[in-house]
Amino acid sequence: MANTEAALKQATTVIDGALGAALVDYSSGMALGTVGGGKDLDLTVAAAGNTDVVRAKVRTMELLGLQDEIEDILITLGNQYHLIRLLKGRGNNGLFLYLALDKSRANLAMARHQLMRIEADLEV
């Protein structure tokens, strides 16, 4: 089992093209941990903004009466992928992993697969 810091560091070192990663509590919008980022990618701002995305999708699913779970949400930009993975399991409700990727260097399918593995080992 990996703690938050180890899991985020693994995400940014193992996943090709990773620019930054965060563990976020979407009930508060607060980043519980961040790795990477920089002047062009403020992970604290991204955490808060993507909280709104998650809340909107959860609310939409409720309004539609969908009895399903969100695995991940992908936002495709011109130069980046932003991947939001909602955590499942005991004690992880209300949390998501956020990963920003350089589109030219990332393999999206592999990034999703590796993020699932990181989630499975994460102990919050």
Side-chain angles (χ1 to χ4, degrees):
M1 291 291 188
N3 67 18
T4 300
E5 184 179 339
L8 295 175
K9 186 170 181 155
Q10 182 181 8
T12 57
T13 56
V14 172
I15 300 174
D16 289 338
L19 300 171
L23 178 66
V24 183
D25 175 348
Y26 71 79
S27 59
S28 68
M30 187 170 79
L32 304 177
T34 62
V35 171
K39 66 180 178 84
D40 294 329
L41 179 61
D42 184 329
L43 291 172
T44 304
V45 172
N50 285 304
T51 293
D52 292 337
V53 172
V54 171
R55 287 179 187 159
K57 188 60 189 173
V58 168
R59 179 73 178 131
T60 301
M61 288 179 62
E62 289 171 358
L63 291 171
L64 292 170
L66 297 176
Q67 302 298 314
D68 209 343
E69 294 181 342
I70 299 170
E71 287 184 9
D72 51 41
I73 298 169
L74 172 64
I75 300 168
T76 305
L77 304 177
N79 296 315
Q80 296 176 356
Y81 293 123
H82 291 224
L83 189 56
I84 300 166
R85 176 139 188 102
L86 277 70
L87 301 186
K88 298 174 189 73
R90 191 178 62 158
N92 291 337
N93 289 340
L95 300 178
F96 67 87
L97 284 168
Y98 167 71
L99 180 65
L101 299 160
D102 179 327
K103 198 173 178 180
S104 67
R105 297 185 300 131
N107 178 322
L108 185 55
M110 283 303 297
R112 288 185 69 223
H113 176 72
Q114 290 168 322
L115 202 55
M116 282 187 261
R117 291 180 57 197
I118 291 167
E119 173 195 5
D121 290 338
L122 179 62
E123 184 178 292
V124 180

